[in-house]
Amino acid sequence: MRIISGIQPTGNLHLGNYLGAIRRWVKLQDEVEGADNFLIFLADLHAITVYNDPAELRRNIHGMAAALVACGIDPARTVLFNHARVPAHAEMAWLLGCTARIGWLNRMTQFKEKSGKNREGVSIGLYAYPVLQAADVLLYQATHVPVGEDQKQHIELTRDIAMKFNTDYGVDLFTVPEPLIGDTAARIMSLRDGRSKMSKSDPSDMSRINLSDDDDSIAQKIRKAKTDPEPLPDSFEALSGRPEAENLVSIYAALTDRTPQSVVEEYAGKGFGAFKPALADLLVESLGPIRGRLDDFAADPAALDRILADGSARAAELAKPTLEGAYRALGLPR
Ligand code: TYM
């Protein structure tokens, strides 16, 4: 088993990233056997597909590295690195871009959402980005990719690219990876609208819990979270059609490692006046220690740079044989 996943180093790490991805990575880090079989990276070449202020991007790279370590990613057990320090990603993205089909990319829902009505005006990088994501995974012969639900389509594209390349060039070069999607927290929704996902690009800060939020903001955001006047039923299925309630119960379940069903059973017949304070306490208790560590690590950017430089050197070594294999398969002498 070799596992890889990535995250964009954008400003706000929120509860969706934490429950949908990072918390699961920390658990998997302990389960994967053998050195160099667990890799996590900052997708900084993805972050530049839209304009970023360079000084802010630099700060965000440090901020995200600090957040991952604060959440429990251990650089001694995980190869922790960033795209920009491992040129093999950009090289492999070009090679795979010649295998990926325009029709495949045209189906990517995330591109449609992000480009909106301005399709002609967005960068080529934003459009081609899923090919870079395929390179990220295929370079390392990863078998599994733990992601939230929103990334599933990109992993399916990665599989298609791997299979087409292997077939077209008559090689068995790329491992075809499987997505690993959790069941309870695969899609954490906005606190203001249970039908759209919690996201760093939502203009309303009340829609998400950031890992940097203090206790009072967390409590206030949960108090003001949109809900309905009905009490909680005694089965999770009975919450269908009540997306906001379903979301809060899922958050509670993910934080306590319980099933959503056991959470509704505990609160059956009670309203949100009882449920919300319990959820707010739980969040404060879970996120407080992370925030404390985050502040400590963020104060030492040089140490974070060392971690990323070391991880990147290891990643570059691991990526080399597959990159060389791809050049060879294509008939490109080096
Ligand atoms: P990104 O940075 O948008 O998100 C990082 C991870 O967090 C998950 N996630 C969520 N999960 C549940 N509920 C939510 N509301 C929520 N919001 C985000 C995402 O599914 C993701 O797992 N393209 C990727 C980064 C990437 C990557 C890769 C991932 C680049 N290369 C290779 C895996 C493998 C992205 O933009 O994630």
Side-chain angles (χ1 to χ4, degrees):
M1 216 181 186
R2 178 174 271 174
I3 295 187
I4 189 158
S5 200
I7 185 163
Q8 290 189 60
T10 27
N12 284 334
L13 192 57
H14 57 74
L15 191 66
N17 302 128
Y18 178 62
L19 293 178
I22 299 165
R23 198 162 173 274
R24 297 175 58 229
W25 298 346
V26 173
K27 287 187 186 157
L28 286 165
Q29 166 185 262
D30 295 332
E31 288 166 19
V32 174
E33 288 176 11
D36 296 336
N37 281 335
F38 194 74
L39 299 96
I40 296 293
F41 64 94
L42 310 183
D44 50 12
L45 294 185
H46 183 185
I48 60 164
T49 56
V50 293
Y51 178 79
N52 265 281
D53 173 64
E56 196 177 318
L57 180 58
R58 242 187 119 65
R59 272 196 305 280
N60 286 343
I61 291 170
H62 287 138
M64 186 58 77
L68 292 176
V69 178
C71 288
I73 294 293
D74 172 6
R77 281 182 291 161
T78 293
V79 183
L80 180 60
F81 66 101
N82 60 311
H83 262 158
R85 284 188 168 96
V86 187
H89 289 252
E91 277 182 80
M92 185 63 106
W94 178 262
L95 302 186
L96 296 179
C98 301
T99 289
R101 306 287 94 180
I102 286 184
W104 299 356
L105 289 182
N106 282 344
R107 286 197 283 278
M108 296 296 112
T109 53
Q110 202 152 73
F111 175 73
K112 290 185 202 162
E113 276 162 25
K114 289 198 173 167
S115 57
K117 293 203 173 70
N118 186 28
R119 266 194 150 189
E120 301 285 311
V122 296
S123 73
I124 290 172
L126 189 70
Y127 180 72
Y129 163 73
V131 179
L132 175 64
Q133 180 157 352
D136 298 341
V137 173
L138 299 180
L139 268 176
Y140 299 96
Q141 306 291 344
T143 55
H144 295 86
V145 190
V147 283
E149 185 74 41
D150 62 333
Q151 294 299 320
K152 193 171 168 202
Q153 196 186 34
H154 289 160
I155 308 303
E156 278 159 7
L157 177 83
T158 302
R159 292 169 57 87
D160 290 343
I161 293 175
M163 288 188 279
K164 182 166 167 57
F165 188 102
N166 284 347
T167 310
D168 285 357
Y169 297 100
V171 288
D172 192 15
L173 180 67
F174 294 124
T175 303
V176 180
E178 299 284 338
L180 275 185
I181 297 176
D183 32 20
T184 345
R187 205 168 156 77
I188 300 293
M189 309 310 279
S190 153
L191 299 177
R192 308 300 299 162
D193 171 8
R195 292 181 205 279
S196 64
K197 74 167 184 179
M198 185 176 286
S199 151
K200 40 203 155 201
S201 49
D202 193 315
S204 164
D205 195 56
M206 293 303 280
S207 70
R208 65 185 157 257
I209 307 264
N210 305 302
L211 257 58
S212 53
D213 284 345
D214 62 26
D215 295 353
D216 288 344
S217 323
I218 295 175
Q220 195 201 23
K221 285 177 178 180
I222 294 297
R223 210 167 38 243
K224 299 216 162 147
K226 187 176 167 202
T227 39
D228 55 47
E230 301 295 316
L232 283 164
D234 55 11
S235 86
F236 188 62
E237 279 85 66
L239 279 180
S240 80
R242 295 170 65 186
E244 286 83 14
E246 211 174 328
N247 188 39
L248 295 187
V249 167
S250 300
I251 293 174
Y252 192 108
L255 285 169
T256 49
D257 280 322
R258 287 167 55 184
T259 60
Q261 176 60 29
S262 91
V263 176
V264 281
E265 277 168 20
E266 183 183 339
Y267 286 92
K270 294 186 183 147
F272 285 95
F275 184 76
K276 280 182 166 181
L279 177 60
D281 287 349
L282 189 59
L283 279 163
V284 164
E285 206 180 289
S286 313
L287 302 184
I290 295 177
R291 189 169 64 242
R293 289 195 293 272
L294 206 157
D295 292 342
D296 294 345
F297 292 123
D300 194 354
L304 294 165
D305 271 330
R306 271 196 306 279
I307 290 174
L308 292 173
D310 284 356
S312 299
R314 278 159 74 200
E317 278 305 305
L318 295 171
K320 208 169 171 184
T322 309
L323 183 65
E324 291 302 326
Y327 276 112
R328 241 189 341 269
L330 288 160
L332 296 167
R334 304 246 286 162

